[in-house]
């Protein structure tokens, strides 16, 4: 994708993450960037040690909310067919009510921040890939990723491969995967004016190895870095916590968000 989707983008601006953090500060993003070398994977013992006090909040369905700015990606012919479609699982459009409200807040923040990042208010919307995911699918995805990691790194022991897999897919064993709680959502940004996805670097970890997945990657273009910071900042201001290994994954009220925000985890597994 070239920069025609973002006519106000200054092609000579090639900021570092540090410069973006200084120009548009946010305490959560500063902390996540500062601790990026020791950030815990999603099923780390530090995360699993956090108590969950289930608040019994209902889930809402993105389809029935009919919010023009927060829509599901189109439905695929089969689950996980393509990153331009939603996951294709029956529960993918569901999430906890507060998480959807955070996305509504995020749209407002995107509109406010848009001019600073070369866009206009109303131009950039949210497209949802997946919210709630059942445990059986979670287990299947974990096994698939585990096999993929083993095939790329033949020297890894099963234990090492399992640890690496845990960075990308939350395990079901001895764990409450965040997508099964309705607290997490995987999103992309959509440019309403140019009818195209905002260039954030390759999306997803399901369709093979993705070197650009890590949020504060140095392996992305200047425009991808600016677009990514635009999304991260709008999300953080809307009380969504990004997962440092996947720039598209956000959550609220789960253990991972509790870890970074020194708050309580209030959502447990729904299935
Ligand atoms: Zn996710």
């Amino acid at each position: 994708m070239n920069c025609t989707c973002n006519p106000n983008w200054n092609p000579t601006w090639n900021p570092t993450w540090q410069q973006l953090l200084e120009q548009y500060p946010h305490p959560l993003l500063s902390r996540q960037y500062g601790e990026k070398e020791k950030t815990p994977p999603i099923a780390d013992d530090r995360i699993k040690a956090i108590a969950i006090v289930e608040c019994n909040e209902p889930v809402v369905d993105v389809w029935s909310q009919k919010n023009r700015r927060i829509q599901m990606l189109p439905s695929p012919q089969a689950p996980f067919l393509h990153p331009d479609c939603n996951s294709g699982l029956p529960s993918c459009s569901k999430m906890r009510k507060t998480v959807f409200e955070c996305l509504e807040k995020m749209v407002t923040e995107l509109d406010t921040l848009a001019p600073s990042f070369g866009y206009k208010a109303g131009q950039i919307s949210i497209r949802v890939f997946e919210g709630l995911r059942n445990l059986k699918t979670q287990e299947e995805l974990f096994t698939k990723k585990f096999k993929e990691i083993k095939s790329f790194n033949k020297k890894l022991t099963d234990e090492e491969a399992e640890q690496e897999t845990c960075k990308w897919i939350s395990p079901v064993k001895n764990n409450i995967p965040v997508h099964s709680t309705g607290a997490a959502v995987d999103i992309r940004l959509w440019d309403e004016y140019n009818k195209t996805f905002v260039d954030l670097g390759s999306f997803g970890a399901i369709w093979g190895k993705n070197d650009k997945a890590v949020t504060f990657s140095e392996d992305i273009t200047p425009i991808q870095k600016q677009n990514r910071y635009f999304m991260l900042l709008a999300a953080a201001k809307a009380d969504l916590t990004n997962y440092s290994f996947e720039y598209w994954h956000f959550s609220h009220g789960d253990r991972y968000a509790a870890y970074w925000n020194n708050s309580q985890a209030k959502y447990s597994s729904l299935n």
Side-chain angles (χ1 to χ4, degrees):
M1 189 188 297
N2 59 40
C3 64
T4 53
C5 63
N6 185 355
N8 300 319
W9 175 58
N10 175 1
T12 61
W13 191 35
N14 184 6
T16 61
W17 289 115
Q18 194 61 48
Q19 284 168 331
L20 285 162
L21 283 159
E22 279 164 18
Q23 192 156 348
Y24 307 103
H26 190 280
L28 172 63
L29 300 181
S30 292
R31 193 178 155 212
Q32 287 193 313
Y33 180 76
E35 296 177 27
K36 68 184 163 62
E37 303 304 336
K38 51 176 179 162
T39 188
I42 213 147
D44 189 273
D45 286 343
R46 284 170 285 175
I47 304 291
K48 288 200 287 190
I50 295 170
I52 301 174
V53 183
E54 171 61 52
C55 67
N56 295 312
E57 185 183 300
V59 293
V60 297
D61 192 315
V62 175
W63 294 114
S64 57
Q65 294 297 308
K66 301 200 187 314
N67 185 317
R68 196 179 61 77
R69 304 287 301 282
I70 307 166
Q71 290 186 18
M72 292 305 293
L73 286 165
S75 294
Q77 301 277 328
F80 301 117
L81 199 61
H82 198 276
D84 291 352
C85 296
N86 69 50
S87 76
L89 299 171
S91 58
C92 70
S93 56
K94 292 179 179 162
M95 64 190 72
R96 299 285 187 148
K97 184 170 171 283
T98 306
V99 178
F100 186 80
E101 287 166 2
C102 289
L103 290 181
E104 289 177 316
K105 242 199 265 183
M106 183 174 165
V107 169
T108 306
E109 298 294 346
L110 285 169
D111 284 349
T112 307
L113 293 165
S116 302
F117 290 88
Y119 297 103
K120 293 191 166 60
Q123 186 174 353
I124 304 303
S125 294
I126 294 169
R127 291 288 181 273
V128 175
F129 172 76
E130 187 172 46
L132 184 63
R133 180 191 293 162
N134 69 41
L135 289 169
K136 184 171 165 282
T137 310
Q138 187 73 26
E139 197 160 16
E140 285 167 3
L141 286 176
F142 188 88
T143 306
K144 189 165 170 271
K145 193 75 189 170
F146 175 81
K147 284 181 183 160
E148 182 195 305
I149 283 172
K150 283 277 278 187
S151 74
F152 277 113
N153 311 279
K154 297 213 161 45
K155 287 186 187 142
L156 291 185
T157 64
D158 279 4
E159 199 180 328
E160 286 163 345
E162 197 167 305
Q163 269 175 16
E164 182 62 19
T165 309
C166 287
K167 276 190 200 167
W168 308 102
I169 312 277
S170 200
V172 171
K173 197 172 74 182
N174 305 323
N175 184 39
I176 295 172
V178 58
H179 274 282
S180 76
T181 70
V185 63
D186 298 323
I187 56 172
R188 302 185 68 180
L189 294 185
W190 178 253
D191 184 334
E192 301 281 1
Y193 292 6
N194 295 291
K195 303 291 172 211
T196 183
F197 288 107
V198 173
D199 185 7
L200 298 155
S202 333
F203 172 85
I206 297 168
W207 302 275
K209 201 164 180 284
N210 182 355
D211 294 330
K212 299 178 191 303
V214 172
T215 300
F216 295 109
S217 170
E218 296 299 343
D219 191 24
I220 56 175
T221 67
I223 185 68
Q224 287 168 351
K225 196 177 274 186
Q226 290 167 50
N227 284 336
R228 222 178 251 201
Y229 197 78
F230 174 39
M231 174 170 74
L232 290 171
L233 187 56
K237 283 170 172 277
D239 302 321
L240 288 164
T241 299
N242 171 249
Y243 178 46
S244 308
F245 290 98
E246 295 177 344
Y247 75 79
W248 56 85
H249 176 111
F250 294 90
S251 65
H252 173 91
D254 65 317
R255 283 169 160 169
Y256 193 76
Y259 171 84
W260 285 105
N261 299 288
N262 304 318
S263 55
Q264 273 208 328
K266 55 181 178 174
Y267 303 130
S268 192
S269 194
L270 284 167
N271 48 23

